[in-house]
Amino acid sequence: PVRDVRVTLHVDKDPVSDEFTLPVLAAGETKGVALVAKLRTPGVHAVQAQVSEDRLPADNQRTLAVRAVQQLKVLLVDGDVGDISRTSETFFLRHALNPVSPDLIPGYFIRLQIMQGNDFASAALEDFDAVILANLARFPERMLPALTSYVRRGGGLLVFPGDRIDTTFYNEQLGERASLLPSLFGQTRGKASQTDQFFSFQTKDFVHPIVTLWNDAAAGTLSSARVFQHHLLLSVTSTNSPTATGGDPLDAGLPQTVLSFADGLPAITARSFGLGRVIQFATTADTAWNDLPVRPAFVPLLHRCLGSAISRQDEGLNLRVGSTFTRTVNAELLGKDVSFTGPRKAEATRELRRVEMTGGSPTLQYDRTDVSGLYQVQVTDPSYETAFATQVDNDESSLEELTIEQYQSLRLASEVYTWSPGFSLRQTVERQRSGVEFWPAVITAALALALCECFLGQWFSRSR
């Protein structure tokens, strides 16, 4: 056991912002502490936690790259505009994403722009952090490459169905062709008009990070919501179909179930795509097919879905030592030189890489990540800055014996000795380097002989 373990937290090169001292930590025990720090400017920051020094200093600190955002810009695409009352498809979305009084909305961290479905084809997607499609029937197929590229570069996409959507269009274009949708829209189940018959959400065993909040009974419940009608969310069979823009088909990650109905069928599914994420719902964003939008859980559920959708790009900011940092960037950076500064190098010591086309997108890559800590990334013209962090594997601090598989793998890369009482590494090395101590004398004698030969050659070759 160890006593008085001091844990500190600081951001970038600022002084310690918070600390906590654990009175005692038993052998093999794990304890968590909550520390608070403020990110004062937008962008990527280095957040470092450190514990008291011990006999293995290499793992006494961890650095995370954390992106601070000043404001999120969200585009709501209303497929059934109606009027400003509850008949609008985005009525409840607007109030859930801006749950403040009207006078506070201009300063709220989520900024909304509402667009009618007919105008979506002309939308400048790059101006938004996330796009929410609410009962949008369809959009021109020519827009599919732009939407695919938008999500791949880190945009979030939330899709809500309704009585207007063309399920064939969504399944064929966004599902099979672009591999964006985590599920295919199947037939509807239930009837919106029969409010005495409904489906409920699961009540326990929440696994996905979006909904783990409700494992705590104090956080409320999702099971009180009633769903009268919903689409079946079917498994996507061709997860590696080519993308609409000719990009890497492996852009599409494996679909995940976020939330299930009480009978086990998916209610919300998600899929990572490049640096973005798509979240798909089985029922509507308004109260046409369910009463979830008027339940207290709707606001945190929607906020957590939005956060998950836009934070996908941040998952690539923290890597294991030795991994390759990969980032999809804007086309204006194609062919530009990018400077990388490692955690142990001075600001003037930088390594250059060039932005190249990879998988149909401008991509910068860096593989010299053999040191843990924060790496700075910068382009001068046009101005572009980011950062990422690397960490050693926690298992490298483990005192457990290696498995046979680990032992055999290690032997392929290095000389391995099995320790036992009385084993001396010094003696083993000295036996293997037998004769090495004579090398300096032999080299000196060889050099002397070479010099003597040169002198004699010069002497006897003189003109007589």
Side-chain angles (χ1 to χ4, degrees):
V2 291
R3 298 184 181 278
D4 299 327
V5 181
R6 181 171 178 257
V7 188
T8 60
L9 183 74
H10 66 88
V11 177
D12 299 326
K13 297 180 180 180
D14 295 342
V16 172
S17 62
D18 201 359
E19 65 177 85
F20 186 88
T21 300
L22 288 170
V24 62
L25 190 64
E29 185 181 13
T30 299
K31 286 186 178 180
V33 299
L35 301 175
V36 178
K38 181 175 290 187
L39 307 179
R40 302 186 182 279
T41 58
V44 180
H45 296 268
V47 179
Q48 186 177 88
Q50 186 167 355
V51 297
S52 307
E53 291 293 330
D54 58 18
R55 288 174 292 178
L56 188 60
D59 65 350
N60 290 339
Q61 65 182 28
R62 304 290 265 187
T63 303
L64 287 179
V66 179
R67 183 171 63 102
V69 179
Q70 185 72 34
Q71 190 175 56
L72 298 179
K73 298 179 181 179
V74 181
L75 174 63
L76 301 181
V77 184
D78 198 325
D80 186 9
V81 179
D83 52 37
I84 60 174
S85 68
R86 295 191 179 191
T87 59
S88 169
E89 199 75 30
T90 59
F91 174 82
F92 293 98
L93 292 176
R94 297 199 306 266
H95 288 277
L97 292 174
N98 284 164
V100 294
S101 59
D103 59 308
L104 296 179
I105 289 179
Y108 195 62
F109 76 95
I110 298 180
R111 180 181 178 184
L112 302 178
Q113 180 173 332
I114 303 170
M115 179 177 292
Q116 297 184 16
N118 295 334
D119 300 328
F120 182 52
S122 60
L125 299 180
E126 62 274 8
D127 293 340
F128 301 95
D129 299 290
V131 175
I132 301 179
L133 306 181
N135 199 11
L136 178 65
R138 58 184 297 154
F139 52 83
E141 293 183 15
R142 68 176 184 276
M143 192 180 179
L144 185 60
L147 183 61
T148 304
S149 177
Y150 165 76
V151 177
R152 182 187 291 114
R153 294 197 308 269
L157 177 64
L158 278 64
V159 180
F160 286 90
D163 57 358
R164 290 174 175 261
I165 70 166
D166 183 346
T167 57
T168 301
F169 170 81
Y170 277 82
N171 291 341
E172 291 182 354
Q173 300 299 322
L174 275 72
E176 297 176 355
R177 183 181 174 191
S179 295
L180 281 174
L181 290 183
S183 306
L184 299 180
F185 283 115
Q187 298 294 323
T188 58
R189 187 171 68 146
K191 291 185 179 180
S193 59
Q194 297 181 353
T195 57
D196 58 330
Q197 300 180 18
F198 56 87
F199 309 97
S200 300
F201 296 120
Q202 67 184 96
T203 59
K204 59 181 181 179
D205 299 329
F206 299 98
V207 177
H208 196 280
I210 291 177
V211 293
T212 51
L213 168 69
W214 286 280
N215 283 321
D216 182 2
T221 179
L222 286 167
S223 60
S224 62
R226 299 180 298 173
V227 178
F228 312 113
Q229 183 174 333
H230 71 88
H231 277 281
L232 295 174
L233 298 182
L234 307 178
S235 299
V236 179
T237 55
S238 56
T239 57
N240 289 338
S241 59
T243 61
T245 56
D248 188 348
L250 296 180
D251 271 340
L254 294 177
Q256 297 177 313
T257 297
V258 176
L259 178 67
S260 299
F261 291 105
D263 57 5
L265 292 178
I268 303 175
T269 56
R271 160 181 265 173
S272 300
F273 188 92
L275 293 175
R277 180 171 284 127
V278 181
I279 299 178
Q280 181 179 0
F281 296 78
T283 190
T284 58
D286 62 4
T287 55
W289 289 5
N290 65 87
D291 65 0
L292 176 62
V294 296
R295 300 289 181 175
F298 185 63
V299 173
L301 176 63
L302 190 59
H303 277 247
R304 292 171 74 88
C305 286
L306 179 62
S308 176
I310 65 174
S311 65
R312 161 66 181 166
Q313 57 181 295
D314 298 335
E315 295 173 5
L317 297 182
N318 294 284
L319 311 171
R320 180 177 173 177
V321 165
S323 301
T324 299
F325 172 73
T326 302
R327 196 73 169 176
T328 302
V329 295
N330 292 330
E332 62 181 357
L333 296 178
L334 184 62
K336 301 293 184 178
D337 287 331
V338 185
S339 65
F340 290 82
T341 305
R344 293 184 181 176
K345 296 183 179 179
E347 188 69 21
T349 307
R350 301 180 177 181
E351 295 186 58
L352 294 180
R353 296 290 188 276
R354 180 159 293 181
V355 177
E356 299 177 346
M357 291 295 292
T358 303
S361 300
T363 305
L364 60 91
Q365 293 184 326
Y366 185 74
D367 57 359
R368 299 283 298 276
T369 60
D370 53 339
V371 177
S372 63
L374 190 76
Y375 291 76
Q376 301 285 348
V377 185
Q378 185 177 29
V379 179
T380 303
D381 185 23
S383 179
Y384 173 82
E385 291 185 4
T386 187
F388 66 95
T390 59
Q391 308 292 341
V392 295
D393 193 329
N394 285 336
D395 290 341
E396 294 192 21
S397 301
S398 173
L399 298 181
E400 296 179 358
E401 293 187 8
L402 297 177
T403 64
I404 296 178
E405 292 76 12
Q406 292 172 327
Y407 179 78
Q408 295 297 338
S409 176
L410 191 60
R411 290 191 63 183
L412 297 176
S414 60
E415 189 73 24
V416 179
Y417 304 100
T418 303
W419 181 90
S420 60
F423 174 81
S424 172
L425 181 61
R426 178 185 296 275
Q427 293 178 2
T428 302
V429 173
E430 288 179 349
R431 283 197 301 268
Q432 291 193 347
R433 64 189 291 270
S434 177
V436 173
E437 58 272 18
F438 298 108
W439 290 355
V442 173
I443 294 174
T444 302
L447 287 175
L449 183 61
L451 290 174
C452 182
E453 183 178 1
C454 290
F455 173 77
L456 293 176
Q458 179 69 21
W459 176 268
F460 290 107
S461 61
R462 292 182 303 168
S463 300
R464 296 184 185 275

